Each structure stands twice: as C-alpha cells, then as structure tokens.
Amino acid sequence: GVSGAVSIAGVVASLAGSAFVALAGSWIVGAGLVVATAAGFAGALLDSVLGDTVQAKFWTATGTCESGGTLIRGVRWLRNNEVNFAMTAFAAALAYLLAG
C-alpha cells in the first residue's frame, strides 16, 4: 500500500498480523502473547505515522515515488528502510519494557 495510509481494514489486518506473529513466536521463545502482540501493533502504527509524516516523498514525471526526483515532503535521507528500522527498534524496545 501507500506509506502512511491508514484504513480500518489495514488496522484490523495489522492487529491480526501482530497477533499471528506473536503466537507463532511465543512457543519458540516463551514470550508473552499479549506483550508481543501489543509491541508489534504499536510498531506497525508507528510505521504508518512515520511513513506519512517524515518519510521522504519525491515527485517525478510519472508521479510520486519514494526515491529520486524532487523532494516534495519529508526528510530526504529518511526512506522506507530507515522507517522500517526505526519501527522494528521501537517495537523491540517496547516489548522489552512491557515484559520487564
């Protein structure tokens, strides 16, 4: 989808996906299902917020894109990979704090 786009279906799918990953991983590492689901879901929401607010968006002759062209909003060096890294680090730190 579009970076930063938010919809009811997307939020529900994000919550379901977070729960599925938490369930799949909980039996391997013994993590708390609620903590892992909450941290994953919070990370997904942060991804949407960062994608919509600070992730670089560019304009080219063919329309908007996430690389090259003229910067129309966001931080030039903050692309999808950096947003994904920030979201993953945030979710991991939150899980650690919640489980503590």
Side-chain angles (χ1 to χ4, degrees):
V2 176
S3 291
V6 177
S7 67
I8 295 296
V11 169
V12 170
S14 179
L15 183 57
S18 297
F20 177 78
V21 171
L23 182 62
S26 67
W27 67 273
I28 296 171
V29 295
L33 183 61
V34 173
V35 167
T37 299
F41 185 61
L45 292 178
L46 178 65
D47 183 82
S48 290
V49 169
L50 293 177
D52 188 47
T53 58
V54 295
Q55 183 174 328
K57 300 281 190 298
F58 298 92
W59 175 259
T60 66
T62 59
T64 59
C65 66
E66 295 189 8
S67 64
T70 303
L71 180 69
I72 55 175
R73 76 171 197 224
V75 179
R76 179 171 297 282
W77 59 266
L78 194 62
R79 312 265 175 103
N80 193 56
N81 288 341
E82 289 77 22
V83 168
N84 288 342
F85 177 81
M87 175 270 304
T88 302
F90 169 79
L94 181 61
Y96 178 78
L97 291 173
L98 292 175

